[in-house]
Amino acid sequence: MRRREFLRQAAVTAATVAASSQLKAKTPTNPIARRPLGRTGEQLSIIAFGGIVVMNENPGEASNIVAEAVDRGINYFDIAPSYGDAQERLGPALAPYRKDCFLACKTEGRMKDDSRKQLEESLRLLKTDHVDLYQFHALTKMTELDKVLGPGGAMETMEAAKKEGKIRYIGFSVHSAETALAAMDRYNFDTILFPLNFVLYTEAGFGPQILKKAQEKKMGILALKGMAKTVWPDDQKKDHPEPKCWYKPAGFPDEASMGLRWTLGHPITAAIPPGDERYFRLAMDVAQNYKPLQAHEEQALLTGAHGVEPIFHLGNDV
């Protein structure tokens, strides 16, 4: 009996060693680079794992893609309660790596009570006692900014939770240049998450003014929509080939790759690619072999943007 048990244990050990060897063989020699997050002292991978990637996936698939992302050098994960069941999927999948990762979450709550409720629920679903960055989600209208910073507003939750150790940094995401500038003037946020995209920048003049002020404030600058292009045509808005993208992404793979490289060529910390798994994997490939656009590549990209309808405009408050 003892001999059989010994042989069984030896077989298990051999299998474990073999599996470990295979795992080590997959570890890239060029892990995704990291950049400093503003004045925080944190170093984040230049590509984030957007939580929508695991939305509506089964737990096994979610665990696999998270493990692959970590293995390739991603340490920045971004999630929000509005991403369907993504928090439920990401929490268990990220748990084995949580201590080595930077987890950013968001709240749509604009007042103290509803934002606190969302925070506590997010912590429960994400299987963690804190998030590294907590952000006001899509802080777009000036009236929303007034609410969160006013008496009884969600900023009271943020500051209290920071003292409690449940969050470490405070930031916001935004789709309005005007509100972004006002928010940076009115509060000393640690980070800003906003669309920085080749079509928006050139066709709508959206982005340069945000980037400039965020740099002046020494904030962590996080970018959305680097692989986006335009709005879906009216006949495809409800039924289009990219169910995890509300906008039409740049052409796969060449235009999307160049669009992401264009975004990464600006003084940002990291970019969050679309939630579609194909685009996310492409983004990881781009990041592992990242090189700034050459002049002829940028010219070709921006020529392709001429006359394209941007997904946002200056003066948007939607």
Side-chain angles (χ1 to χ4, degrees), residues 115-141:
S115 57
R116 171 61 78 166
K117 183 177 180 180
Q118 277 203 329
L119 172 61
E120 298 297 341
E121 179 68 356
S122 290
L123 293 175
R124 184 182 71 82
L125 293 174
L126 293 168
K127 310 294 185 185
T128 187
D129 62 354
H130 76 283
V131 293
D132 298 286
L133 171 63
Y134 204 48
Q135 303 157 105
F136 295 114
H137 195 176
L139 190 60
T140 300
K141 297 182 180 181

Side-chain angles (χ1 to χ4, degrees), residues 117-281:
K117 183 177 180 180
Q118 277 203 329
L119 172 61
E120 298 297 341
E121 179 68 356
S122 290
L123 293 175
R124 184 182 71 82
L125 293 174
L126 293 168
K127 310 294 185 185
T128 187
D129 62 354
H130 76 283
V131 293
D132 298 286
L133 171 63
Y134 204 48
Q135 303 157 105
F136 295 114
H137 195 176
L139 190 60
T140 300
K141 297 182 180 181
M142 291 295 293
T143 52
E144 293 178 300
L145 179 61
D146 291 338
K147 280 186 180 180
V148 301
L149 296 180
M155 184 56 79
E156 294 184 15
T157 292
M158 295 273 200
E159 292 183 335
K162 188 172 182 179
K163 290 179 181 177
E164 296 163 11
K166 293 184 176 181
I167 69 175
R168 298 175 61 216
Y169 305 109
I170 298 173
F172 68 102
S173 71
V174 66
H175 295 155
S176 161
E178 292 79 4
T179 305
L181 297 176
M184 288 187 280
D185 280 336
R186 293 175 60 181
Y187 189 85
N188 192 27
F189 287 98
D190 295 304
T191 66
I192 181 170
L193 173 62
F194 73 100
L196 184 60
N197 163 275
F198 69 101
V199 175
L200 280 169
Y201 206 89
T202 58
E203 298 300 297
F206 187 113
Q209 61 284 88
I210 303 174
L211 190 61
K212 181 175 183 291
K213 184 175 281 285
Q215 284 182 276
E216 291 170 355
K217 297 279 188 178
K218 295 182 170 52
M219 295 172 66
I221 305 173
L222 307 169
L224 292 165
K225 311 299 188 288
M227 297 172 108
K229 186 165 187 181
T230 187
V231 296
W232 289 108
D234 289 341
D235 62 351
Q236 287 188 298
K237 283 183 178 177
K238 291 185 178 180
D239 183 19
H240 53 74
E242 303 291 349
K244 291 186 178 182
C245 294
W246 64 263
Y247 52 85
K248 187 175 182 179
F252 188 95
D254 294 340
E255 187 179 48
S257 296
M258 287 202 295
L260 180 59
R261 288 169 61 203
W262 182 91
T263 295
L264 291 172
H266 289 77
I268 67 169
T269 298
I272 303 178
D276 179 273
E277 187 175 321
R278 285 193 315 148
Y279 279 86
F280 173 58
R281 289 186 181 280

